[in-house]
């Protein structure tokens, strides 16, 4: 492995830890739940992606890089779902409190019958 790839990998890892730190500060400093969720989901997911990209570069294996990319995609999905559920609880959505998120829960007017 070349020295340049090691420097790039360490820069990615350091940038990722910076975003983790900023997300944690957002969790502590922001006043309401939605702002805190925004800070955590955005900054932490970017930080995780950068750290995993740096680790994949250090590993030097395509198989390992694919596994780390899959790990990042699954973490993105988990963060989105948990933020949606917690945001629904904060908004007073009763379906979110019971863990059942219903699709298309917006009430719609029934269409007029065709003549």
């Amino acid at each position: 492995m070349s020295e340049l790839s090691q420097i790039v990998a360490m820069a990615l890892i350091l940038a990722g830890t910076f975003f983790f730190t900023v997300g944690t500060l957002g969790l502590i400093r922001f006043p309401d739940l939605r702002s805190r969720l925004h800070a955590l989901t955005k900054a932490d997911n970017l930080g995780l992606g950068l750290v995993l990209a740096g680790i994949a570069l250090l590993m030097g294996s395509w198989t390992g890089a694919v596994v780390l990319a899959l790990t990042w995609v699954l973490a993105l999905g988990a963060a989105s779902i948990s933020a949606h559920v917690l945001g629904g609880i904060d908004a007073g959505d009763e379906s979110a409190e019971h863990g059942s998120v219903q699709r298309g829960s917006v009430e719609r007017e029934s269409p007029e019958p065709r003549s």
Side-chain angles (χ1 to χ4, degrees):
M1 181 179 295
S2 71
E3 187 175 328
L4 179 64
S5 64
Q6 288 181 349
I7 291 172
V8 170
M10 294 311 287
L12 287 171
I13 292 172
L14 286 174
T17 55
F18 170 76
F19 279 102
F20 274 127
T21 305
V22 169
T24 303
L25 287 175
L27 175 67
I28 295 169
R29 301 276 311 194
F30 286 141
D32 60 336
L33 178 68
R34 290 181 186 232
S35 297
R36 291 176 179 178
L37 284 174
H38 179 76
L40 282 178
T41 55
K42 302 298 180 198
D44 284 354
N45 284 327
L46 179 59
L48 179 63
L50 291 172
V51 168
L52 292 179
I55 292 172
L57 193 58
L58 284 176
M59 287 175 50
S61 166
W62 283 104
T63 306
V66 169
V67 169
L68 291 175
L70 181 62
T71 303
W72 185 51
V73 168
L74 292 174
L76 287 172
S80 299
I81 292 169
S82 62
H84 177 75
V85 170
L86 289 172
I89 290 172
D90 182 50
D93 186 9
E94 293 182 18
S95 65
E97 290 180 12
H98 301 294
S100 62
V101 178
Q102 296 178 357
R103 190 171 197 199
S105 61
V106 177
E107 293 184 24
R108 298 180 186 151
E109 295 180 22
S110 60
E112 304 265 337
R114 294 183 184 177
S115 310

